[in-house]
Amino acid sequence: MKSDIRVCSAWHEAHDRPVYTLSESCPDCGAETANSAPAPFDPTDPHGEYRRALKRRNR
């Protein structure tokens, strides 16, 4: 799942607060932007397979 909202990857050094945008680069400093949303799940989760199987079973 990809989020449309992105945050400046250099906001800690270049800005006082996070700068959010929809583009691939920061409008203020020109740095690259990163996806602002965390991943919906951790692919290395050791119990993820069981959780997903339980979710499928309860549908």
Side-chain angles (χ1 to χ4, degrees):
M1 174 192 270
K2 183 180 175 201
S3 174
D4 289 334
I5 300 174
R6 301 176 68 80
V7 66
C8 176
S9 61
W11 78 267
H12 292 286
E13 298 85 22
H15 309 288
D16 294 335
R17 58 183 177 77
V19 175
Y20 296 96
T21 183
L22 297 175
S23 68
E24 296 291 323
S25 63
C26 177
D28 293 340
C29 67
E32 283 192 27
T33 57
N35 188 351
S36 64
F41 62 90
D42 182 12
T44 61
D45 181 12
H47 303 290
E49 179 183 342
Y50 302 108
R51 244 191 305 283
R52 288 187 291 276
L54 182 62
K55 189 174 183 179
R56 281 192 298 269
R57 201 175 324 146
N58 289 336
R59 285 187 194 178

